[in-house]
Amino acid sequence: MVKVTALSVVLFVITKSSETFLTPELIDYSVSIIEYLSTKQVGTFKCIFYDFSDEYAMDGDFDRILKSPRIDHISKFVINESFTMDYHSELPQNPSLMVINMHSRNVPGNAKKATLLFTIINPNTKMLFLTDERFYESFAVLVELLYRPRQFTTIVCIETKTPMVVRIGFERLILEILNLVHPQYLFGSILRDMQGRPIRYSFPDKVSYRNENWIRATARFLNATTQYVKNTCPAPESISLGACYNEHLTSNHVLVSLHFISLKHLPPSLYRMLFDVIPETFLILVPKPRRVNIFEIFIWPFTWGSWLLLAVVLILTELVYVINPRMFQNDPILLFVCGLERCNLHRASANEKLVYFPLIIFFFLMLTAYETRIISFMINKPSVAKLHTIQQLIDSGMLLKAKKHNNPKQFEDTALSSIVRDSSDEGDLMFDGVNAYCLNGVSAYTALRIAASYDYRTKYYVLDETFGLGVGTHWMPQRDGLLEELAQTQRWLFETGILGKWERDEVDLMLVQFGKVSEMLNEMSGMFRKRQQKVMLGIRDLLPAWLALGVGLLGSFVVFVGERKSSKHEISVGF
């Protein structure tokens, strides 16, 4: 790189002035540049023609470029130095190309309007200057505006007297001096080779594994370096950041703050922001309710409607049997429920077969389903009164704890105002087992995996209804050119799945650092050796089966005694 300013180069290459500002050759070359770029544009090609001319009317040579029939197909926006830009203007803030006719000696007088324009225009916009040595002072002022307070990344100047093409790089230094080369060699972003310049990033605590790798990958892609700057200011609750935060960022020349900031509204001035590609999901962890007791296990397999249907069928058939004993030879309850026959069904009457066979099949299916559900409940006892929605959580009266600086929306929600409490003073991922907690998606699923959340089962579960999604942004200096590069690399990493893998790796690293995984395994292995019934199905877990066996034996004994007495009574009557 030639380390001289653009102004020095212009002074060095001055030649005798000619009467014409742009020769036909340069007009054709300028139109060729616009025409070439329009063929490479995906979508609408929007070109701003910015005329800095001392005359009231537009410069004639510049007007010929503008009215060339070869570029009639593009969208043209023509302005001059009297134009005042704002965020609501119809002028595109992210144009495909900006052609600036530097044919004025009065730029310092219009510096305020030009500064506002270049503050709003995307700094990655391709800039094409047309000037010569007569206007070098104005050109120097205008280039200064392009680097204050941000740096435009693609600036090309056509010096019309030599003629030659000058590409301007970092700090207004000349990057390259070319002849009238093909347009494909002109507009290369200087950010694609930052030559080891640092990308300073900031965060209050330790930077997340995902974000740190993202910044480092971007730096390698751009041939830059990374530099972490610790932030000791309170976490910002809005994009305004606050005095301490702003002072920290500006004094340390921070390029990106990795703090996740949620926006309550999005004004036009914030349309161009570094939005995180993964929205933040807010989940609510609720303590698991008590498990069902022994008696509830026998009732839960069927609904009350099913129990009522079974009772009605049995009672009706039993009443028919009692009222007309000759109609059925077998007792319905003993046959359907217990499978006991007094008389072989093959020898029964046709009416009994017609009634009993469908009911036998029906009760066989019901009993099989009942036994299966009972066994599953013994292995994994279900819980009662499980919450599914936020409204059920509110109605239950359970407190919802959240860190206010991370979850400001929960404290602003009027529906949650009666139950939400600030837990900023409590430790991370440490729950009391009584109250509910609101966390982002990664923290929530991490909390469910740590040993403190287990008591031979997870103490908490994720509420089915989420609180919502937070589309957040990372702070960057206004209109910084690195924004698109950082957004692009983050999108690439997300689409390839690498960003998600880094998040999962971060969770695993957190569990290893706290020693939770090994602690949980050691506790479980120790309890397996000392109290195997806690890990596998033991005697106490089979209590429902023992109760069912005892009740069945008792019922069988009662039926047996009753049948014996009935048989003796029939024998005595016979004699």
Side-chain angles (χ1 to χ4, degrees):
M1 176 185 291
V2 182
K3 293 193 175 182
V4 290
T5 64
L7 176 60
S8 300
V9 170
V10 172
L11 288 174
F12 179 75
V13 299
I14 58 172
T15 59
K16 274 192 173 182
S17 299
S18 60
E19 296 179 357
T20 306
F21 177 56
L22 288 174
T23 63
E25 180 187 6
L26 289 176
I27 293 176
D28 181 72
Y29 183 66
S30 302
V31 173
S32 299
I33 292 175
I34 302 172
E35 187 178 23
Y36 173 79
L37 293 178
S38 67
T39 61
K40 302 299 180 181
Q41 175 74 26
V42 178
T44 305
F45 187 85
K46 300 177 181 180
C47 183
I48 298 177
F49 293 87
Y50 196 1
D51 183 41
F52 272 94
S53 179
D54 290 334
E55 294 85 6
Y56 178 77
M58 182 177 295
D59 181 89
D61 296 332
F62 192 60
D63 187 55
R64 282 191 287 274
I65 296 176
L66 179 62
K67 294 181 179 180
S68 173
R70 293 162 55 189
I71 56 174
D72 283 343
H73 61 285
I74 70 171
S75 297
K76 304 172 186 177
F77 300 84
V78 184
I79 60 175
N80 56 27
E81 66 271 17
S82 64
F83 176 78
T84 302
M85 182 67 170
D86 59 51
Y87 287 103
H88 300 278
S89 174
E90 295 183 0
L91 195 72
Q93 300 181 21
N94 189 26
S96 307
L97 175 66
M98 192 169 185
V99 183
I100 302 176
N101 177 36
M102 193 65 257
H103 198 187
S104 172
R105 297 180 177 87
N106 194 32
V107 171
N110 298 303
K112 184 176 181 180
K113 292 182 179 180
T115 301
L116 181 60
L117 173 65
F118 293 136
T119 300
I120 297 177
I121 293 295
N122 191 321
N124 290 311
T125 299
K126 297 179 179 64
M127 312 290 289
L128 178 62
F129 283 89
L130 304 174
T131 189
D132 64 30
E133 82 283 355
R134 293 173 295 175
F135 314 107
Y136 72 88
E137 292 183 0
S138 296
F139 174 71
V141 172
L142 201 60
V143 171
E144 176 70 22
L145 296 179
L146 292 175
Y147 285 79
R148 189 182 69 229
R150 75 226 48 81
Q151 177 169 281
F152 276 72
T153 60
T154 313
I155 301 177
V156 174
C157 174
I158 298 179
E159 210 289 324
T160 60
K161 294 299 182 289
T162 305
M164 66 179 182
V165 178
V166 179
R167 293 184 59 215
I168 302 178
F170 291 98
E171 301 173 1
R172 305 190 304 278
L173 299 178
I174 296 302
L175 181 64
E176 197 172 10
I177 301 176
L178 305 169
N179 295 321
L180 301 183
V181 296
H182 192 276
Q184 66 176 329
Y185 302 110
L186 295 181
F187 296 97
S189 175
I190 60 176
L191 294 179
R192 292 304 173 92
D193 184 11
M194 295 183 62
Q195 302 174 354
R197 289 177 171 82
I199 299 178
R200 294 185 177 89
Y201 61 99
S202 175
F203 194 71
D205 303 311
K206 185 180 182 300
V207 182
S208 67
Y209 184 73
R210 186 200 82 170
N211 286 338
E212 188 171 18
N213 284 344
W214 163 43
I215 296 297
R216 289 179 177 176
T218 304
R220 287 195 298 269
F221 176 65
L222 301 178
N223 191 23
T225 57
T226 60
Q227 184 177 346
Y228 169 68
V229 182
K230 184 175 176 58
N231 186 3
T232 58
C233 298
E237 298 183 3
S238 66
I239 197 64
S240 58
L241 301 181
C244 176
Y245 217 98
N246 281 312
E247 174 63 23
H248 160 75
L249 296 174
T250 54
S251 61
N252 292 288
H253 304 288
V254 175
L255 289 178
V256 57
S257 173
L258 297 179
H259 196 92
F260 192 89
I261 304 174
S262 297
L263 301 178
K264 298 179 182 179
H265 60 280
L266 192 64
S269 59
L270 299 181
Y271 284 172
R272 183 180 176 270
M273 295 288 291
L274 182 58
F275 293 100
D276 199 277
V277 70
I278 302 178
E280 190 171 43
T281 307
F282 296 100
L283 305 178
I284 296 178
L285 299 183
V286 182
K288 280 194 172 180
R290 69 171 181 85
R291 294 181 174 180
V292 296
N293 55 40
I294 298 299
F295 300 101
E296 289 172 330
I297 284 180
F298 290 100
I299 299 174
W300 271 46
F302 295 149
T303 62
W304 288 110
S306 300
W307 285 118
L308 182 61
L309 174 63
L310 294 174
V312 169
V313 172
L314 288 175
I315 291 173
L316 287 178
T317 53
E318 189 67 25
L319 286 176
V320 173
Y321 173 74
V322 172
I323 295 173
N324 189 5
R326 295 182 179 180
M327 184 176 181
F328 301 136
Q329 297 181 19
N330 290 288
D331 185 276
I333 295 180
L334 291 178
L335 182 58
F336 301 156
V337 179
C338 303
L340 300 177
E341 292 180 328
R342 281 185 173 181
C343 177
N344 195 311
L345 280 177
H346 293 286
R347 300 177 181 178
S349 64
N351 292 333
E352 185 172 349
K353 291 180 179 179
L354 184 64
V355 175
Y356 275 22
F357 279 159
L359 291 177
I360 289 173
I361 296 174
F362 172 73
F363 275 92
F364 170 76
L365 295 176
M366 296 296 289
L367 288 173
T368 303
Y370 183 78
E371 292 169 358
T372 304
R373 296 294 298 276
I374 288 290
I375 294 174
S376 66
F377 288 167
M378 288 192 299
I379 296 174
N380 185 17
K381 293 181 182 179
S383 302
V384 299
K386 189 174 181 180
L387 304 179
H388 298 279
T389 65
I390 294 178
Q391 186 59 47
Q392 291 177 350
L393 176 65
I394 297 173
D395 296 338
S396 69
M398 187 184 303
L399 295 181
L400 175 64
K401 291 189 174 182
K403 296 186 183 299
K404 191 171 184 178
H405 63 276
N406 290 335
N407 307 280
K409 292 183 179 180
Q410 284 77 357
F411 293 85
E412 298 170 359
D413 194 306
T414 55
L416 298 177
S417 58
S418 60
I419 64 171
V420 68
R421 298 292 184 274
D422 187 12
S423 61
S424 300
D425 298 333
E426 301 179 10
D428 295 332
L429 308 181
M430 300 301 293
F431 307 140
D432 54 18
V434 177
N435 301 305
Y437 289 83
C438 185
L439 303 169
N440 62 47
V442 175
S443 299
Y445 288 112
T446 302
L448 293 178
R449 292 178 57 186
I450 63 177
S453 297
Y454 281 83
D455 184 12
Y456 308 107
R457 66 165 187 159
T458 55
K459 296 180 181 179
Y460 280 79
Y461 68 95
V462 178
L463 203 67
D464 294 340
E465 182 181 357
T466 62
F467 189 80
L469 292 177
V471 180
T473 181
H474 301 292
W475 179 93
M476 289 192 70
Q478 189 180 30
R479 321 302 289 180
D480 192 278
L482 274 173
L483 189 149
E484 278 75 16
E485 300 295 341
L486 288 168
Q488 185 65 56
T489 54
Q490 188 185 56
R491 191 177 301 111
W492 287 337
L493 294 170
F494 172 74
E495 291 174 352
T496 56
I498 297 177
L499 215 59
K501 182 183 183 302
W502 285 341
E503 279 195 342
R504 295 189 296 271
D505 291 345
E506 183 176 15
V507 172
D508 295 338
L509 286 173
M510 290 173 62
L511 294 174
V512 172
Q513 289 171 357
F514 288 114
K516 299 301 182 180
V517 173
S518 59
E519 180 182 344
M520 181 174 61
L521 294 175
N522 290 335
E523 288 180 359
M524 292 180 65
S525 61
M527 293 305 297
F528 179 82
R529 292 190 298 269
K530 296 179 181 179
R531 300 176 62 186
Q532 293 184 355
Q533 66 272 20
K534 282 294 182 181
V535 183
M536 60 179 61
L537 201 62
I539 298 298
R540 294 185 62 182
D541 296 317
L542 293 175
L543 183 58
W546 292 114
L547 287 176
L549 180 61
V551 172
L553 290 175
L554 181 61
S556 300
F557 179 74
V558 172
V559 172
F560 175 75
V561 172
E563 287 290 326
R564 291 289 295 176
K565 288 185 177 181
S566 176
S567 299
K568 289 180 179 180
H569 178 69
E570 291 178 357
I571 293 173
S572 62
V573 171
F575 282 110

